[in-house]
Amino acid sequence: MNPSWTYLLIAIAAEVAATSALKASDSFTRVVPSTITVIGYGLAFYLLALALKTIPVGIAYAVWSGAGIVAIAIIGYFVFGQALDLAAMIGIGLILAGVLVLNVFSSAGGH
């Protein structure tokens, strides 16, 4: 695997962790989740910048945001007890399908 894709995957994981910690930070009133949020976003953007050296920005951002949306929705459901109705699940499925199409079928991804 191209190192840039590894950077992007780790960046997505860091962003998802940071966003989850942001919810747990209670508007930055809790120190540990707030610290995780700041460090996680910093790491995520640094790794995204590394990934953008070889992955086109449109593709990288589509994968970043799509994967992040899906992961955060799943975490919101299981960890924070947030409901997902049928429309939300269909929308998330479409986002996931778009990310898969970009990565599997598009030559724009630089694979």
Coordinates of all heavy atoms in Angstrom, one line a residue:
M1 N 0.8 -1.2 0.0 CA 0.0 0.0 0.0 C 0.9 1.2 0.0 O 1.9 1.3 0.7 CB -0.9 0.0 1.2 CG -1.8 1.2 1.4 SD -2.8 1.3 2.9 CE -4.2 0.4 2.4
N2 N 0.5 2.2 -0.8 CA 1.2 3.5 -0.9 C 1.2 4.1 0.5 O 0.1 4.2 1.2 CB 0.4 4.3 -1.9 CG 0.9 5.7 -2.0 OD1 1.6 6.3 -1.2 ND2 0.6 6.3 -3.2
P3 N 2.3 4.6 1.0 CA 2.3 5.2 2.3 C 1.3 6.4 2.5 O 0.8 6.6 3.6 CB 3.8 5.8 2.5 CG 4.6 5.0 1.5 CD 3.6 4.6 0.4
S4 N 1.0 7.1 1.4 CA 0.0 8.2 1.6 C -1.3 7.7 2.0 O -2.1 8.3 2.7 CB -0.1 8.9 0.2 OG 1.1 9.6 0.0
W5 N -1.7 6.5 1.5 CA -3.0 5.9 1.9 C -3.0 5.5 3.4 O -4.0 5.6 4.1 CB -3.4 4.8 1.0 CG -3.9 5.3 -0.4 CD1 -3.1 5.4 -1.5 CD2 -5.1 5.9 -0.6 NE1 -3.9 6.0 -2.5 CE2 -5.1 6.3 -2.0 CE3 -6.3 6.1 0.1 CZ2 -6.2 6.9 -2.6 CZ3 -7.4 6.7 -0.5 CH2 -7.3 7.1 -1.8
T6 N -1.8 5.0 3.8 CA -1.6 4.7 5.2 C -1.8 5.9 6.1 O -2.5 5.9 7.1 CB -0.3 4.0 5.5 OG1 -0.2 2.8 4.7 CG2 -0.1 3.6 6.9
Y7 N -1.1 7.0 5.6 CA -1.3 8.3 6.3 C -2.7 8.7 6.4 O -3.2 9.2 7.4 CB -0.5 9.4 5.7 CG 1.0 9.2 5.7 CD1 1.8 9.6 4.6 CD2 1.7 8.7 6.8 CE1 3.2 9.5 4.6 CE2 3.1 8.6 6.8 CZ 3.8 8.9 5.7 OH 5.2 8.8 5.7
L8 N -3.4 8.6 5.3 CA -4.8 9.0 5.2 C -5.7 8.2 6.2 O -6.5 8.7 6.9 CB -5.4 8.9 3.8 CG -6.8 9.4 3.6 CD1 -7.0 10.8 4.1 CD2 -7.3 9.2 2.2
L9 N -5.5 6.9 6.2 CA -6.2 6.0 7.1 C -6.0 6.3 8.6 O -6.9 6.4 9.4 CB -5.9 4.5 6.8 CG -6.4 4.0 5.5 CD1 -5.9 2.5 5.3 CD2 -7.9 4.0 5.4
I10 N -4.8 6.6 8.9 CA -4.4 7.0 10.3 C -5.0 8.4 10.6 O -5.5 8.6 11.7 CB -2.9 6.9 10.6 CG1 -2.4 5.5 10.4 CG2 -2.6 7.4 12.0 CD1 -0.9 5.4 10.4
A11 N -5.0 9.3 9.6 CA -5.6 10.6 9.8 C -7.1 10.5 10.1 O -7.6 11.2 11.0 CB -5.3 11.5 8.6
I12 N -7.7 9.6 9.4 CA -9.2 9.4 9.6 C -9.4 8.9 11.0 O -10.3 9.4 11.7 CB -9.8 8.4 8.5 CG1 -9.7 9.1 7.1 CG2 -11.2 8.0 8.9 CD1 -10.0 8.2 6.0
A13 N -8.6 7.9 11.4 CA -8.8 7.3 12.8 C -8.5 8.4 13.8 O -9.3 8.5 14.8 CB -7.8 6.2 13.0
A14 N -7.5 9.3 13.6 CA -7.3 10.4 14.6 C -8.4 11.4 14.6 O -8.8 11.8 15.7 CB -6.0 11.1 14.2
E15 N -9.0 11.7 13.4 CA -10.1 12.6 13.4 C -11.3 12.1 14.0 O -12.0 12.8 14.8 CB -10.4 13.0 11.9 CG -11.4 14.1 11.7 CD -12.8 13.5 11.5 OE1 -13.0 12.4 11.1 OE2 -13.7 14.3 11.8
V16 N -11.6 10.8 13.8 CA -12.7 10.1 14.5 C -12.6 10.1 16.0 O -13.5 10.4 16.7 CB -12.9 8.7 13.9 CG1 -13.9 7.9 14.7 CG2 -13.4 8.8 12.4
A17 N -11.4 9.8 16.5 CA -11.1 9.8 17.9 C -11.3 11.2 18.5 O -11.8 11.4 19.5 CB -9.7 9.3 18.2
A18 N -10.7 12.2 17.7 CA -10.9 13.6 18.2 C -12.3 14.0 18.3 O -12.7 14.7 19.2 CB -10.0 14.5 17.3
T19 N -13.1 13.7 17.3 CA -14.5 14.1 17.2 C -15.3 13.4 18.4 O -16.1 14.0 19.0 CB -15.1 13.8 15.9 OG1 -14.4 14.5 14.9 CG2 -16.6 14.2 15.8
S20 N -15.0 12.1 18.6 CA -15.6 11.4 19.7 C -15.2 12.0 21.0 O -16.1 12.2 21.9 CB -15.2 9.9 19.7 OG -15.6 9.3 18.5
A21 N -14.0 12.4 21.2 CA -13.5 13.0 22.4 C -14.1 14.4 22.6 O -14.4 14.9 23.7 CB -12.0 13.1 22.4
L22 N -14.4 15.1 21.4 CA -15.0 16.4 21.5 C -16.4 16.3 22.1 O -16.8 17.1 22.9 CB -15.1 17.0 20.1 CG -15.7 18.4 19.9 CD1 -14.9 19.4 20.7 CD2 -15.8 18.8 18.5
K23 N -17.1 15.3 21.7 CA -18.5 15.1 22.3 C -18.3 14.8 23.8 O -19.1 15.4 24.6 CB -19.1 13.9 21.6 CG -20.4 13.3 22.3 CD -21.5 14.3 22.1 CE -22.8 13.6 22.7 NZ -23.8 14.5 23.1
A24 N -17.3 14.0 24.2 CA -17.1 13.7 25.6 C -16.5 14.8 26.4 O -16.5 14.8 27.6 CB -16.2 12.4 25.7
S25 N -16.0 15.8 25.7 CA -15.3 16.9 26.4 C -16.3 17.9 27.1 O -15.9 18.7 28.0 CB -14.5 17.8 25.5 OG -15.3 18.6 24.7
D26 N -17.6 17.7 26.8 CA -18.6 18.6 27.4 C -18.2 20.0 27.3 O -18.1 20.8 28.2 CB -18.8 18.2 28.9 CG -20.1 18.7 29.5 OD1 -21.0 19.0 28.7 OD2 -20.1 18.9 30.7
S27 N -18.1 20.4 26.0 CA -17.8 21.8 25.6 C -16.4 22.3 26.2 O -16.3 23.4 26.7 CB -18.9 22.8 26.1 OG -20.1 22.5 25.4
F28 N -15.5 21.4 26.2 CA -14.1 21.7 26.6 C -14.0 21.9 28.1 O -13.2 22.7 28.6 CB -13.4 22.8 25.9 CG -13.0 22.4 24.5 CD1 -13.7 22.8 23.4 CD2 -11.9 21.6 24.3 CE1 -13.3 22.4 22.1 CE2 -11.5 21.2 23.0 CZ -12.2 21.6 21.9
T29 N -14.9 21.4 28.9 CA -14.9 21.5 30.4 C -14.2 20.3 31.0 O -14.0 20.4 32.2 CB -16.3 21.7 30.9 OG1 -17.1 20.5 30.6 CG2 -17.0 22.9 30.4
R30 N -14.0 19.2 30.3 CA -13.3 18.1 30.8 C -11.9 18.0 30.2 O -11.8 18.0 29.0 CB -14.1 16.8 30.6 CG -15.5 16.9 31.3 CD -16.4 15.7 31.0 NE -15.7 14.5 31.4 CZ -15.8 13.3 30.8 NH1 -16.6 13.2 29.8 NH2 -15.2 12.3 31.3
V31 N -10.9 17.9 31.1 CA -9.5 18.0 30.6 C -9.0 16.9 29.7 O -8.5 17.2 28.6 CB -8.5 18.2 31.8 CG1 -7.1 18.1 31.3 CG2 -8.8 19.4 32.6
V32 N -9.3 15.7 30.1 CA -8.7 14.5 29.3 C -9.4 14.5 27.9 O -8.6 14.5 26.9 CB -8.8 13.2 30.0 CG1 -8.5 12.0 29.1 CG2 -8.0 13.2 31.3
P33 N -10.7 14.5 27.8 CA -11.3 14.5 26.4 C -10.9 15.7 25.6 O -10.7 15.6 24.4 CB -12.8 14.4 26.7 CG -13.0 13.9 28.0 CD -11.7 14.4 28.8
S34 N -10.8 16.9 26.3 CA -10.4 18.1 25.6 C -9.0 18.0 25.0 O -8.7 18.4 23.9 CB -10.5 19.3 26.5 OG -11.8 19.5 26.9
T35 N -8.1 17.4 25.8 CA -6.7 17.2 25.3 C -6.6 16.2 24.2 O -5.9 16.4 23.2 CB -5.8 16.7 26.5 OG1 -5.9 17.6 27.6 CG2 -4.4 16.5 26.1
I36 N -7.4 15.1 24.3 CA -7.5 14.1 23.2 C -8.0 14.8 21.9 O -7.5 14.6 20.8 CB -8.3 12.9 23.6 CG1 -7.6 12.1 24.7 CG2 -8.6 12.1 22.4 CD1 -8.5 11.1 25.3
T37 N -8.9 15.7 22.0 CA -9.5 16.4 20.9 C -8.4 17.2 20.2 O -8.3 17.1 19.0 CB -10.7 17.3 21.3 OG1 -11.7 16.5 21.9 CG2 -11.2 18.1 20.2
V38 N -7.7 18.0 20.9 CA -6.7 18.9 20.4 C -5.6 18.1 19.7 O -5.2 18.4 18.6 CB -6.2 19.9 21.4 CG1 -5.0 20.7 20.9 CG2 -7.3 20.9 21.9
I39 N -5.1 17.2 20.4 CA -4.0 16.3 19.9 C -4.5 15.5 18.7 O -3.8 15.4 17.6 CB -3.4 15.4 21.0 CG1 -2.7 16.2 22.0 CG2 -2.5 14.4 20.4 CD1 -2.3 15.5 23.2
G40 N -5.7 15.0 18.8 CA -6.2 14.2 17.7 C -6.4 15.0 16.4 O -6.0 14.5 15.3
Y41 N -7.0 16.2 16.5 CA -7.1 17.0 15.3 C -5.8 17.4 14.7 O -5.6 17.5 13.5 CB -8.0 18.2 15.6 CG -9.5 17.9 15.6 CD1 -10.3 18.3 16.7 CD2 -10.1 17.1 14.6 CE1 -11.7 18.0 16.7 CE2 -11.5 16.8 14.6 CZ -12.2 17.3 15.7 OH -13.6 17.0 15.7
G42 N -4.9 17.8 15.6 CA -3.5 18.2 15.1 C -2.9 17.0 14.4 O -2.3 17.3 13.3
L43 N -2.9 15.8 14.9 CA -2.3 14.7 14.2 C -3.1 14.4 12.9 O -2.4 14.1 11.9 CB -2.4 13.5 15.2 CG -1.9 12.1 14.6 CD1 -0.4 12.3 14.3 CD2 -2.1 11.0 15.6
A44 N -4.4 14.5 13.0 CA -5.2 14.2 11.8 C -4.8 15.1 10.6 O -4.6 14.7 9.5 CB -6.7 14.3 12.1
F45 N -4.7 16.4 10.9 CA -4.4 17.4 9.8 C -3.0 17.2 9.4 O -2.7 17.4 8.2 CB -4.7 18.8 10.3 CG -6.2 19.1 10.2 CD1 -7.0 19.2 11.3 CD2 -6.8 19.2 8.9 CE1 -8.3 19.4 11.3 CE2 -8.2 19.4 8.9 CZ -8.9 19.5 10.0
Y46 N -2.0 16.9 10.2 CA -0.7 16.7 9.8 C -0.6 15.5 8.9 O 0.0 15.6 7.8 CB 0.2 16.5 11.1 CG 1.6 16.1 10.7 CD1 2.5 17.0 10.2 CD2 2.1 14.8 10.9 CE1 3.8 16.6 9.8 CE2 3.4 14.4 10.5 CZ 4.2 15.3 10.0 OH 5.5 14.9 9.7
L47 N -1.2 14.4 9.3 CA -1.2 13.2 8.4 C -2.0 13.4 7.1 O -1.6 12.9 6.1 CB -1.8 12.0 9.2 CG -0.9 11.5 10.3 CD1 -1.6 10.5 11.2 CD2 0.4 10.9 9.8
L48 N -3.0 14.2 7.2 CA -3.7 14.5 5.9 C -2.8 15.3 5.0 O -2.8 15.0 3.8 CB -5.0 15.3 6.2 CG -5.8 15.8 5.0 CD1 -6.3 14.6 4.2 CD2 -7.0 16.6 5.4
A49 N -2.1 16.2 5.5 CA -1.1 17.0 4.7 C -0.1 16.1 4.1 O 0.3 16.2 2.9 CB -0.4 18.0 5.6
L50 N 0.4 15.1 4.8 CA 1.3 14.1 4.2 C 0.7 13.3 3.1 O 1.3 13.0 2.1 CB 1.9 13.2 5.3 CG 2.8 13.8 6.4 CD1 3.2 12.7 7.4 CD2 4.0 14.4 5.8
A51 N -0.5 12.9 3.4 CA -1.3 12.1 2.4 C -1.5 12.9 1.1 O -1.4 12.3 0.0 CB -2.6 11.6 2.9
L52 N -1.7 14.2 1.2 CA -1.9 15.0 0.0 C -0.7 15.2 -0.9 O -0.8 15.8 -2.0 CB -2.5 16.4 0.5 CG -3.9 16.3 1.1 CD1 -4.3 17.7 1.5 CD2 -4.9 15.8 0.1
K53 N 0.4 14.7 -0.4 CA 1.6 14.8 -1.3 C 1.4 14.0 -2.6 O 1.9 14.3 -3.6 CB 2.9 14.3 -0.6 CG 3.4 15.3 0.4 CD 4.6 14.8 1.1 CE 5.2 15.8 2.1 NZ 6.4 15.4 2.7
T54 N 0.7 12.9 -2.5 CA 0.5 12.0 -3.7 C -1.0 11.7 -4.0 O -1.3 11.3 -5.1 CB 1.2 10.7 -3.6 OG1 0.7 10.0 -2.4 CG2 2.7 10.9 -3.4
I55 N -1.9 11.9 -3.0 CA -3.3 11.6 -3.3 C -4.0 13.0 -3.7 O -3.8 14.0 -3.0 CB -4.0 11.0 -2.1 CG1 -3.4 9.8 -1.6 CG2 -5.5 10.8 -2.3 CD1 -3.9 9.2 -0.3
P56 N -4.7 13.0 -4.8 CA -5.4 14.2 -5.2 C -6.3 14.7 -4.0 O -7.0 13.9 -3.4 CB -6.2 13.8 -6.4 CG -5.5 12.6 -7.0 CD -5.0 11.9 -5.8
V57 N -6.4 16.0 -3.8 CA -7.1 16.6 -2.7 C -8.6 16.2 -2.7 O -9.2 15.9 -1.7 CB -6.9 18.1 -2.6 CG1 -7.6 18.8 -3.8 CG2 -7.4 18.6 -1.3
G58 N -9.2 16.2 -3.9 CA -10.6 15.8 -4.0 C -10.9 14.4 -3.5 O -11.9 14.1 -2.8
I59 N -10.0 13.5 -3.9 CA -10.2 12.1 -3.6 C -9.9 11.9 -2.1 O -10.7 11.3 -1.4 CB -9.3 11.2 -4.4 CG1 -9.6 11.3 -5.9 CG2 -9.3 9.8 -3.9 CD1 -11.0 10.9 -6.3
A60 N -8.8 12.5 -1.6 CA -8.4 12.4 -0.2 C -9.5 12.9 0.7 O -9.9 12.3 1.7 CB -7.1 13.1 0.1
Y61 N -10.1 14.1 0.3 CA -11.1 14.7 1.2 C -12.4 13.9 1.1 O -13.1 13.8 2.1 CB -11.3 16.2 0.8 CG -12.1 16.9 1.9 CD1 -11.4 17.2 3.1 CD2 -13.4 17.2 1.8 CE1 -12.1 17.8 4.1 CE2 -14.1 17.8 2.8 CZ -13.5 18.1 4.0 OH -14.1 18.7 5.0
A62 N -12.7 13.4 0.0 CA -13.9 12.5 -0.1 C -13.8 11.3 0.7 O -14.8 10.9 1.5 CB -14.2 12.1 -1.6
V63 N -12.7 10.6 0.7 CA -12.5 9.5 1.5 C -12.4 9.9 3.0 O -13.1 9.2 3.9 CB -11.1 8.7 1.1 CG1 -10.8 7.6 2.1 CG2 -11.3 8.2 -0.3
W64 N -11.7 10.9 3.3 CA -11.6 11.4 4.7 C -13.0 11.7 5.3 O -13.3 11.2 6.4 CB -10.7 12.7 4.7 CG -10.9 13.6 5.8 CD1 -11.9 14.5 6.1 CD2 -9.9 13.9 6.8 NE1 -11.6 15.2 7.2 CE2 -10.4 14.9 7.7 CE3 -8.6 13.4 7.1 CZ2 -9.7 15.4 8.7 CZ3 -7.9 13.9 8.2 CH2 -8.5 14.9 9.0
S65 N -13.7 12.5 4.6 CA -15.0 12.9 5.1 C -16.0 11.8 5.1 O -16.8 11.6 6.1 CB -15.6 14.1 4.4 OG -15.7 13.8 3.0
G66 N -16.1 11.0 4.0 CA -17.0 9.9 4.0 C -16.8 8.8 5.0 O -17.7 8.4 5.8
A67 N -15.5 8.4 5.2 CA -15.2 7.4 6.2 C -15.4 8.0 7.6 O -15.9 7.3 8.5 CB -13.7 7.0 6.0
G68 N -15.1 9.3 7.8 CA -15.3 9.9 9.1 C -16.8 10.0 9.5 O -17.2 9.7 10.6
I69 N -17.6 10.3 8.5 CA -19.1 10.4 8.7 C -19.6 9.0 9.1 O -20.4 8.9 10.1 CB -19.8 10.9 7.5 CG1 -19.5 12.4 7.3 CG2 -21.3 10.7 7.6 CD1 -19.9 13.0 6.0
V70 N -19.2 8.0 8.4 CA -19.7 6.7 8.7 C -19.3 6.2 10.1 O -20.0 5.7 10.9 CB -19.3 5.7 7.6 CG1 -19.6 4.2 8.0 CG2 -20.0 6.0 6.3
A71 N -18.0 6.4 10.4 CA -17.4 6.0 11.6 C -18.1 6.7 12.8 O -18.4 6.1 13.8 CB -15.9 6.1 11.7
I72 N -18.2 8.0 12.7 CA -18.8 8.8 13.8 C -20.3 8.5 14.0 O -20.8 8.4 15.1 CB -18.6 10.3 13.5 CG1 -17.2 10.7 13.7 CG2 -19.5 11.2 14.4 CD1 -16.6 10.5 15.1
A73 N -21.0 8.2 12.9 CA -22.4 7.8 13.0 C -22.5 6.5 13.8 O -23.4 6.3 14.7 CB -23.0 7.7 11.7
I74 N -21.6 5.5 13.5 CA -21.6 4.2 14.2 C -21.2 4.4 15.7 O -21.9 3.9 16.5 CB -20.7 3.3 13.5 CG1 -21.3 2.9 12.1 CG2 -20.4 2.0 14.3 CD1 -20.3 2.2 11.2
I75 N -20.2 5.2 15.9 CA -19.8 5.5 17.3 C -20.9 6.2 18.0 O -21.2 5.9 19.2 CB -18.5 6.3 17.3 CG1 -17.3 5.4 16.9 CG2 -18.2 6.9 18.7 CD1 -16.0 6.1 16.6
G76 N -21.5 7.2 17.4 CA -22.6 7.9 18.0 C -23.8 7.0 18.4 O -24.4 7.1 19.5
Y77 N -24.0 6.0 17.6 CA -25.1 5.0 17.9 C -24.7 4.1 19.1 O -25.5 4.0 20.0 CB -25.4 4.2 16.6 CG -26.4 3.2 16.8 CD1 -27.8 3.5 16.8 CD2 -26.1 1.8 17.1 CE1 -28.8 2.5 17.0 CE2 -27.1 0.9 17.3 CZ -28.4 1.2 17.2 OH -29.4 0.3 17.4
F78 N -23.5 3.5 19.0 CA -23.1 2.5 20.0 C -22.6 3.1 21.3 O -22.9 2.6 22.4 CB -22.1 1.6 19.4 CG -22.7 0.6 18.5 CD1 -22.4 0.7 17.1 CD2 -23.5 -0.5 18.9 CE1 -23.0 -0.3 16.2 CE2 -24.1 -1.4 18.0 CZ -23.8 -1.3 16.7
V79 N -21.9 4.2 21.2 CA -21.2 4.8 22.4 C -22.1 5.9 23.0 O -22.3 5.9 24.3 CB -19.8 5.4 22.1 CG1 -19.2 6.1 23.3 CG2 -18.9 4.3 21.5
F80 N -22.7 6.7 22.2 CA -23.5 7.9 22.8 C -25.0 7.7 22.7 O -25.7 8.5 23.1 CB -23.1 9.2 22.1 CG -21.6 9.5 22.2 CD1 -20.8 9.5 21.1 CD2 -21.1 9.8 23.4 CE1 -19.4 9.8 21.2 CE2 -19.8 10.2 23.6 CZ -18.9 10.1 22.5
G81 N -25.4 6.5 22.2 CA -26.9 6.2 22.2 C -27.7 7.1 21.3 O -28.9 7.3 21.6
Q82 N -27.1 7.6 20.2 CA -27.8 8.4 19.3 C -28.5 7.6 18.3 O -28.0 6.6 17.8 CB -26.8 9.4 18.6 CG -26.2 10.3 19.7 CD -25.0 11.1 19.1 OE1 -24.5 10.8 18.0 NE2 -24.6 12.1 19.8
A83 N -29.8 7.9 18.0 CA -30.6 7.1 17.1 C -30.3 7.4 15.7 O -29.8 8.5 15.3 CB -32.1 7.5 17.4
L84 N -30.4 6.4 14.9 CA -30.2 6.5 13.4 C -31.5 5.9 12.8 O -31.8 4.8 12.9 CB -29.0 5.6 12.9 CG -27.7 6.1 13.4 CD1 -26.6 5.1 12.9 CD2 -27.4 7.5 12.7
D85 N -32.3 6.8 12.2 CA -33.5 6.4 11.5 C -33.2 5.8 10.1 O -32.0 5.8 9.7 CB -34.5 7.5 11.4 CG -34.1 8.7 10.7 OD1 -33.1 8.6 10.0 OD2 -34.8 9.7 10.7
L86 N -34.2 5.3 9.4 CA -34.0 4.7 8.1 C -33.3 5.7 7.1 O -32.4 5.3 6.4 CB -35.3 4.2 7.6 CG -35.2 3.5 6.2 CD1 -34.2 2.3 6.3 CD2 -36.5 3.1 5.7
A87 N -33.7 6.9 7.1 CA -33.2 7.9 6.2 C -31.7 8.1 6.5 O -30.9 8.2 5.6 CB -33.9 9.2 6.3
A88 N -31.3 8.2 7.8 CA -29.9 8.3 8.2 C -29.1 7.1 7.7 O -28.0 7.3 7.2 CB -29.8 8.5 9.7
M89 N -29.6 5.9 7.9 CA -28.9 4.7 7.5 C -28.7 4.7 6.0 O -27.7 4.3 5.5 CB -29.6 3.5 8.1 CG -29.4 3.4 9.6 SD -30.0 1.8 10.2 CE -31.8 2.1 10.2
I90 N -29.8 5.1 5.2 CA -29.7 5.1 3.8 C -28.6 6.1 3.3 O -27.8 5.8 2.5 CB -31.0 5.4 3.1 CG1 -32.0 4.1 3.4 CG2 -30.9 5.7 1.7 CD1 -33.4 4.4 3.0
G91 N -28.7 7.3 3.9 CA -27.7 8.3 3.6 C -26.3 7.9 3.9 O -25.4 8.1 3.1
I92 N -26.0 7.3 5.0 CA -24.7 6.8 5.4 C -24.3 5.7 4.4 O -23.1 5.7 4.0 CB -24.7 6.3 6.9 CG1 -24.8 7.5 7.8 CG2 -23.4 5.5 7.2 CD1 -25.1 7.2 9.2
G93 N -25.2 4.8 4.1 CA -24.9 3.8 3.1 C -24.5 4.4 1.7 O -23.5 3.9 1.1
L94 N -25.1 5.4 1.3 CA -24.8 6.1 0.1 C -23.4 6.7 0.1 O -22.6 6.7 -0.8 CB -25.9 7.1 -0.3 CG -27.2 6.6 -0.8 CD1 -28.2 7.7 -0.9 CD2 -27.1 5.8 -2.1
I95 N -23.1 7.4 1.3 CA -21.8 7.9 1.5 C -20.7 6.8 1.4 O -19.7 7.0 0.7 CB -21.7 8.7 2.8 CG1 -22.6 9.9 2.8 CG2 -20.2 9.0 3.1 CD1 -22.8 10.6 4.1
L96 N -20.9 5.7 2.1 CA -20.0 4.6 2.1 C -19.9 4.1 0.6 O -18.8 3.8 0.2 CB -20.5 3.5 3.0 CG -19.6 2.3 3.2 CD1 -18.2 2.7 3.6 CD2 -20.2 1.3 4.2
A97 N -21.0 4.0 -0.1 CA -20.9 3.5 -1.5 C -20.1 4.5 -2.3 O -19.3 4.0 -3.2 CB -22.3 3.4 -2.0
G98 N -20.2 5.7 -2.1 CA -19.4 6.7 -2.9 C -17.9 6.6 -2.6 O -17.1 6.6 -3.5
V99 N -17.6 6.4 -1.4 CA -16.2 6.2 -1.0 C -15.6 4.9 -1.7 O -14.5 4.9 -2.2 CB -16.0 6.2 0.5 CG1 -14.6 5.7 0.9 CG2 -16.3 7.5 1.1
L100 N -16.4 3.9 -1.6 CA -16.0 2.6 -2.3 C -15.8 2.8 -3.8 O -14.9 2.3 -4.4 CB -17.0 1.5 -1.9 CG -17.0 1.0 -0.5 CD1 -18.1 0.0 -0.2 CD2 -15.6 0.4 -0.2
V101 N -16.8 3.4 -4.4 CA -16.7 3.7 -5.9 C -15.4 4.4 -6.2 O -14.7 4.1 -7.2 CB -17.9 4.4 -6.4 CG1 -17.7 4.9 -7.8 CG2 -19.1 3.4 -6.4
L102 N -15.1 5.5 -5.4 CA -13.9 6.3 -5.7 C -12.7 5.4 -5.6 O -11.7 5.5 -6.4 CB -13.8 7.4 -4.7 CG -14.6 8.7 -5.0 CD1 -14.6 9.6 -3.8 CD2 -14.2 9.3 -6.3
N103 N -12.6 4.5 -4.6 CA -11.4 3.8 -4.3 C -11.3 2.5 -5.2 O -10.2 2.1 -5.5 CB -11.3 3.4 -2.9 CG -10.9 4.5 -2.0 OD1 -9.7 4.9 -2.1 ND2 -11.8 5.1 -1.2
V104 N -12.4 1.9 -5.6 CA -12.3 0.7 -6.4 C -12.4 1.0 -7.9 O -11.6 0.3 -8.6 CB -13.5 -0.3 -5.9 CG1 -13.5 -1.5 -6.8 CG2 -13.3 -0.6 -4.5
F105 N -13.2 1.9 -8.3 CA -13.4 2.1 -9.7 C -12.8 3.3 -10.4 O -12.7 3.4 -11.6 CB -14.9 2.1 -10.0 CG -15.6 0.8 -9.6 CD1 -16.4 0.8 -8.5 CD2 -15.3 -0.4 -10.3 CE1 -17.0 -0.4 -8.1 CE2 -15.9 -1.6 -9.9 CZ -16.8 -1.6 -8.8
S106 N -12.4 4.3 -9.6 CA -12.0 5.5 -10.2 C -10.5 5.5 -10.3 O -9.7 5.2 -9.4 CB -12.3 6.7 -9.3 OG -11.8 7.9 -9.8
S107 N -10.0 5.9 -11.5 CA -8.6 6.1 -11.7 C -8.0 7.4 -11.2 O -6.8 7.6 -11.1 CB -8.2 6.0 -13.2 OG -8.9 7.1 -13.9
A108 N -8.9 8.3 -10.7 CA -8.5 9.6 -10.2 C -7.8 9.4 -8.8 O -7.2 10.3 -8.4 CB -9.7 10.5 -10.0
G109 N -8.0 8.3 -8.2 CA -7.4 8.1 -6.8 C -6.0 7.8 -6.9 O -5.3 7.8 -5.8
G110 N -5.4 7.6 -8.0 CA -3.9 7.5 -8.1 C -3.4 6.1 -7.7 O -2.3 5.9 -7.3
H111 N -4.3 5.1 -7.8 CA -3.9 3.7 -7.4 C -3.1 3.1 -8.5 O -3.4 3.2 -9.7 CB -5.1 2.8 -7.2 CG -6.0 3.3 -6.1 ND1 -5.6 3.2 -4.8 CD2 -7.2 3.9 -6.1 CE1 -6.6 3.7 -4.0 NE2 -7.6 4.1 -4.9

